[in-house]
Amino acid sequence: MARQVVVSGAASGIGRELTGQLRARGDEVTGIDLRDAEVCADLGSPTGRREAVEEVARTTGGVVDAVVACAGVSGTTQGTVAVNYFGATELLRGLRPALMAASLPRAAVVGSISGTQPNSPDIIDACLAGDETAALAAAATVAERGEGRKLYPSSKAALARWLRSVCVTDEWAGAGIPLNAVAPGVVRTPMSAAHSLTPEQQKVMDEAVPMPLGGHSEAGTIAAALRWLISPENSQVTGQVLYVDGGAEATLRGPEVF
């Protein structure tokens, strides 16, 4: 039976691949993106998130079987935190009533192996407190110190911690909504292609994100993992950060993490 799925970041990368896979199996997908989507909205702003939620509710009749927050940016500006953390968490919160109206609701976000890398506790703490103003101020301070590279890992670490904290609450598990994340390593997407690397830079990246199983991933591989997490078959998996990363997390963190 066809399901109604909402995918943010649907115009490119993992979101586009997921949208194609879902439609190929007969699901109806409402895509959210800045352009080239059913709902055009900027998830980097509170107004854009509110408009996205309202438009999705209108177009779907207020019933959504699954939501996947794929939209994300990489960079050294405050927008990285605004989109990657608040754009994902506020979208999911806003659409939770529509999920609760479905019989087998599911939700997922896209994390990253970078969430295990050096980050800013100030940014993470502000994100988890729900204080976007403080989070963006902390991001600006970090960038001013020349540590803008920490913004992306901070946004993804905060997202994983939020997911782990809320997934077992009455609002999610208690309402029958599994909430999970897929955390890729290096994926061949427009985002990664935007960073032209010299051989020396490529070597540094491979050392930072070693992927002994198959090397860099295709976006479709990540989309397939998301597709299962939001499927009706997933009735017990929640609060998990599934590393689809060619073994990067296991290589970097080793067995002692358990």
Side-chain angles (χ1 to χ4, degrees), residues 159-168 179 238-241:
L159 186 60
R161 287 180 58 181
W162 172 82
L163 179 149
R164 295 279 292 178
S165 67
V166 305
C167 69
V168 292
L179 174 60
T238 196
Q240 300 305 301
V241 179

Side-chain angles (χ1 to χ4, degrees), residues 197-236:
L197 302 179
T198 66
E200 292 76 17
Q201 290 172 323
Q202 184 65 55
K203 181 180 179 182
V204 171
M205 174 178 282
D206 290 341
E207 290 174 350
V209 187
M211 300 176 68
L213 179 62
H216 297 178
S217 172
E218 298 296 336
T221 302
I222 312 304
L226 287 164
R227 197 178 74 235
W228 184 83
L229 286 173
I230 62 167
S231 70
E233 289 76 16
N234 174 25
S235 61
Q236 288 293 310

